[in-house]
Amino acid sequence: MTEITPQVNATCLDLLINEMVPLAIRTTRELKQSYEQAIESLVPQISIKDEDTGDVEILNSELLHSEDVTHKLENCGYSIGIRLSEVLIYKDSQNEILKNLELLNIMKFICRDVWRELYGKQMDNLRTNHRGTFVLIDNAFKTFQRFDSPVDLQDTIYKCKPYLWISSGIIRGVLKSFGVDSLITPEITKFPMVSFNIQTNV
Amino acid sequence: MNKGIKASSDDIWKNRVDKVNAELFTLTYGSVVAQLVRDFKNDYQKVNQQLEKMGYNIGIRLVEDFLAKTGTGRCQSFKDTAEVVSKVGFKVFLNVTPQVTNWTSDGKTFSLILDENPLAEFVELPDDERAKKELWYSNVLTGVLKGALEMVQLEVDVNFVSDVLRGDDRTELRLQLIRFLKDEMPAGED
């Protein structure tokens, strides 16, 4: 255990995650624009407007909750989840999870190891109906810590919601790495408390 | 003076910085780049652009954290700035210290050589020849540097000129000072 895991400043990861939603909106917008341009074959080329750099104005975009943005974020999360799972298991081949691959145990692995790695804390609650449905609850979701809309709480919640798709994707990716397919619905129950409703095929 | 900077950044890194597993950071960034490559159907120019834009937004926020944690004062010259970017900035955020080198004689342009690049650990570029010619995988860094330096009144141009991921010998970022921006802080603040 002398090998030290390389580390970076947690702020780097926080800021990177914060920018994932604006990035997904910009990408969606640019793809839409170039599609429309191609159709109308406009000349000369319209430059992509830059009004969205540097502030949070972009979160007012009508694309915030669009399917495209949601899909991109969920997809990113999914590929993080698949790889993170490998990293965690490779790092700790003594992990309990490897002794017992029951679904409940995999969920505990997510609540404990995955969440701790991502957010520095464990999930606060895990419920199940013992028939393949699970609810994971985090009482104070770390990504939301620095988020506060100048408008009101409702606006904060509205703009925070897309960030949950990243975590949903991560959970789906980790489950998939154990061969479990799932459908996940994230929810902001009582800001900053969040829950993930997970339905599995097992 | 350099020794002083190094010792104090080491201390800040050790004692005053919350840290996360670098692999988690690497693979999060990797998934962002991969998603962009898919979205723009391997149009790497567009991917570079988006990464830079994202970096810019990160940079203008990062600088607050940088000033709060390090209490760095105003640099006397662009040479000082180069040292601080490498020995304090990169050190405190990514725990690496790029070499500052290749100064032009007018003292306005220099290179950062990244012997280690936490963004690019375990990364392989897509298996097409164009990616190796067009994609700057770590381009977020150019935006971060531009954004952060702009917030301390320095307009700079930042570009990658080589990257080991492309098969180059080393990873080199080129920074050019365009101009000092007018101080727009309210009176009474330094």
Side-chain angles (χ1 to χ4, degrees):
Chain A
M1 291 302 284
T2 46
E3 194 184 321
I4 301 160
T5 320
Q7 292 178 310
V8 296
N9 190 325
T11 307
C12 297
L13 184 64
D14 289 347
L15 290 173
L16 179 62
I17 290 172
N18 286 0
E19 281 305 314
M20 283 170 73
V21 171
L23 178 73
I25 294 174
R26 274 195 296 274
T27 306
T28 305
R29 187 186 287 164
E30 179 154 346
L31 289 170
K32 276 204 160 103
Q33 275 178 356
S34 47
Y35 177 69
E36 282 159 15
Q37 273 174 23
I39 286 184
E40 298 168 20
S41 57
L42 288 178
V43 265
Q45 221 190 357
I46 292 171
S47 67
I48 305 299
K49 271 200 288 177
D50 234 359
E51 89 279 328
D52 54 69
T53 37
D55 59 36
V56 292
E57 192 52 35
I58 191 161
L59 295 178
N60 287 320
S61 163
E62 75 285 357
L63 295 171
L64 182 68
H65 292 281
S66 67
E67 218 171 283
D68 281 346
V69 168
T70 304
H71 179 71
K72 287 187 209 320
L73 294 169
E74 211 273 343
N75 229 338
C76 258
Y78 179 75
S79 64
I80 296 170
I82 294 257
R83 292 178 177 84
L84 180 59
S85 198
E86 284 174 23
V87 167
L88 288 174
I89 292 169
Y90 172 76
K91 240 179 39 184
D92 181 11
S93 53
Q94 300 302 309
N95 199 306
E96 295 279 319
I97 181 72
L98 293 172
K99 292 176 197 149
N100 177 355
L101 287 172
E102 265 173 49
L103 189 53
L104 182 61
N105 232 7
I106 300 172
M107 291 294 172
K108 284 183 182 163
F109 172 73
I110 291 173
C111 290
R112 199 178 44 226
D113 304 55
V114 174
W115 227 244
R116 199 189 287 137
E117 197 69 41
L118 285 168
Y119 304 115
K121 69 179 286 257
Q122 296 188 27
M123 201 72 96
D124 293 295
N125 203 332
L126 162 66
R127 292 181 201 151
T128 175
N129 67 353
H130 298 286
R131 287 198 302 274
T133 302
F134 296 81
V135 181
L136 312 188
I137 296 167
D138 184 339
N139 291 338
F141 189 55
K142 189 180 171 229
T143 307
F144 293 169
Q145 250 173 28
R146 298 198 203 185
F147 291 178
D148 191 7
S149 159
V151 183
D152 58 13
L153 181 63
Q154 213 186 339
D155 192 55
T156 306
I157 293 172
Y158 181 77
K159 286 170 180 166
C160 278
K161 183 91 198 271
Y163 287 90
L164 282 185
W165 290 113
I166 305 169
S167 320
S168 277
I170 293 175
I171 296 175
R172 188 167 69 88
V174 172
L175 287 171
K176 184 68 187 177
S177 73
F178 289 102
V180 179
D181 286 315
S182 61
L183 189 71
I184 300 173
T185 323
E187 214 176 311
I188 300 176
T189 19
K190 187 170 181 300
F191 189 85
M193 184 198 274
V194 300
S195 67
F196 299 88
N197 194 305
I198 307 172
Q199 278 175 312
T200 63
N201 63 338
V202 181
Chain B
M1 174 186 145
N2 288 350
K3 267 195 181 149
I5 294 188
K6 191 179 175 304
S8 82
S9 323
D10 281 350
D11 181 59
I12 293 165
W13 168 257
K14 265 191 208 126
N15 302 314
R16 295 176 57 190
V17 169
D18 287 334
K19 303 172 194 76
V20 291
N21 183 342
E23 287 167 348
L24 173 63
F25 177 65
T26 308
L27 62 90
T28 303
Y29 182 69
S31 79
V32 168
V33 180
Q35 181 71 34
L36 280 173
V37 169
R38 268 197 302 277
D39 284 341
F40 288 112
K41 302 201 169 54
N42 301 54
D43 182 339
Y44 298 114
Q45 306 294 350
K46 289 223 165 95
V47 175
N48 293 341
Q49 263 173 30
Q50 290 295 337
L51 288 173
E52 183 185 335
K53 216 176 252 193
M54 176 169 81
Y56 178 86
N57 289 346
I58 292 175
I60 58 179
R61 295 188 169 87
L62 188 95
V63 80
E64 281 174 37
D65 209 73
F66 170 81
L67 295 172
K69 285 254 161 57
T70 66
T72 305
R74 189 175 287 267
C75 291
Q76 297 305 313
S77 66
F78 197 49
K79 293 236 166 182
D80 279 356
T81 308
E83 293 296 315
V84 170
V85 165
S86 156
K87 299 201 170 62
V88 189
F90 272 87
K91 172 68 195 178
V92 167
F93 288 104
L94 295 178
N95 194 25
V96 297
T97 311
Q99 298 170 46
V100 177
T101 180
N102 287 350
W103 280 98
T104 50
S105 53
D106 63 3
K108 285 187 173 168
T109 309
F110 67 93
S111 292
L112 289 172
I113 311 292
L114 283 114
D115 296 322
E116 293 171 276
N117 177 5
L119 289 171
E121 283 291 314
F122 323 112
V123 171
E124 276 180 43
L125 294 187
D127 203 10
D128 67 69
E129 276 308 301
R130 272 187 37 245
K132 284 210 159 67
K133 289 200 190 90
E134 293 169 19
L135 176 63
W136 292 115
Y137 181 87
S138 309
N139 216 36
V140 71
L141 291 178
T142 63
V144 171
L145 288 165
K146 266 185 216 177
L149 289 170
E150 193 176 302
M151 297 309 277
V152 292
Q153 277 84 37
L154 293 171
E155 186 182 335
V156 291
D157 197 27
V158 188
N159 289 297
F160 271 99
V161 293
S162 64
D163 187 343
V164 288
L165 291 181
R166 292 179 167 208
D168 300 324
D169 291 342
R170 57 187 189 176
T171 302
E172 177 173 355
L173 272 164
R174 198 88 180 125
L175 283 84
Q176 183 183 17
L177 175 67
I178 309 289
R179 64 191 172 115
F180 294 100
L181 298 164
K182 288 254 158 51
D183 216 331
E184 281 165 10
M185 294 230 219
E189 275 190 57
D190 271 322

